[in-house]
């Protein structure tokens, strides 16, 4: 098992959560960056939605959904609708570089939101019928969600242009 650049042990729980999530977020960019535009929008898996560009967009809107909508209780600005719950992945005409920049901007907003709250802070806008989750749980979930999609990006990138890596 390989460690990422021999990072020192984070000093506390918040720092450890932030460091793992930061590394996963950076990996999204490193897996997608430099991929030719036509390859970024091509599906290599059975689902037509599983494109590198679609996954980057999805991760951007997942950040928005968890930190702004669920945690803060702000209005949902996501592109999804009842008729098209996967609309955030339909980005055929959006350049990958723009999607990556929007993802980075959304992640920066998520960090600002998390910085202002204790780990025990509860969601202000949980889904109807759900118990509110804590910021701690949301950070752990985002590590898991981002890591899972990094695996998808890794496979898509290798199928697209043969690029492999950490």
């Amino acid at each position: 098992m390989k460690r990422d650049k021999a990072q020192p042990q984070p000093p506390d729980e918040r720092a450890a959560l932030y460091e793992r999530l930061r590394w996963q977020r950076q990996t999204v960019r490193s897996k997608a960056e430099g991929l030719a535009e036509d390859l970024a929008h091509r599906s290599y898996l059975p689902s037509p939605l599983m494109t590198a560009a679609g996954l980057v967009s999805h991760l951007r809107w997942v950040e928005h959904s968890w930190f702004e909508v669920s945690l803060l209780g702000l209005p949902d600005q996501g592109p999804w609708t009842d008729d098209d719950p996967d609309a955030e992945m339909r980005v055929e005409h959006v350049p990958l570089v723009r999607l990556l920049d929007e993802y980075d901007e959304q992640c920066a907003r998520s960090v600002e939101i998390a910085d202002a709250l204790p780990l025990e802070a509860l969601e202000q806008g949980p889904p109807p019928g759900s118990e509110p989750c804590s910021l701690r749980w949301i950070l752990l979930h985002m590590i898991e969600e981002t890591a899972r999609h990094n695996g998808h990006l890794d496979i898509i990138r290798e199928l697209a242009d043969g690029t492999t890596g950490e």
Side-chain angles (χ1 to χ4, degrees):
M1 183 164 100
K2 188 174 181 181
R3 290 187 185 200
D4 57 304
K5 311 295 184 238
Q7 294 291 324
Q9 185 82 10
D12 60 33
E13 179 186 17
R14 181 182 288 266
L17 291 168
Y18 275 31
E19 174 56 28
R20 289 292 81 203
L21 185 51
R22 181 197 60 77
W23 192 80
Q24 292 299 331
R25 287 169 171 158
Q26 287 178 339
T27 300
V28 170
R29 178 171 279 278
S30 71
K31 294 291 179 192
E33 199 167 47
L35 185 60
E37 203 62 42
D38 62 322
L39 301 179
H41 293 276
R42 185 178 301 160
S43 178
Y44 297 88
L45 302 171
S47 170
L49 297 176
M50 289 293 275
T51 67
L55 284 169
V56 171
S57 178
H58 170 73
L59 284 166
R60 179 267 172 116
W61 289 107
V62 166
E63 291 271 347
H64 163 75
S65 182
W66 277 106
F67 288 95
E68 293 185 45
V69 179
S70 294
L71 187 59
L72 294 183
L74 298 176
D76 190 349
Q77 302 298 317
W80 38 69
T81 65
D82 289 340
D83 292 334
D84 190 1
D86 297 317
E88 83 281 9
M89 296 184 82
R90 299 182 204 286
V91 291
E92 294 82 13
H93 303 292
V94 183
L96 180 60
V97 68
R98 177 176 149 199
L99 294 168
L100 286 166
D101 289 346
E102 289 173 355
Y103 176 65
D104 289 345
E105 291 167 12
Q106 187 67 54
C107 290
R109 278 196 295 281
S110 297
V111 169
E112 288 175 13
I113 292 165
D115 279 350
L117 298 169
L119 292 176
E120 297 76 22
L122 296 178
E123 290 176 292
Q124 298 302 301
S130 298
E131 291 294 318
C133 296
S134 67
L135 171 58
R136 176 183 288 106
W137 187 95
I138 291 170
L139 290 168
L140 286 166
H141 175 71
M142 290 306 303
I143 293 167
E144 177 267 336
E145 172 97 4
T146 309
R148 181 169 17 101
H149 290 311
N150 273 331
H152 296 135
L153 283 168
D154 196 40
I155 292 166
I156 289 169
R157 185 64 189 256
E158 186 170 354
L159 291 170
D161 68 2
T163 299
T164 61
E166 299 177 15

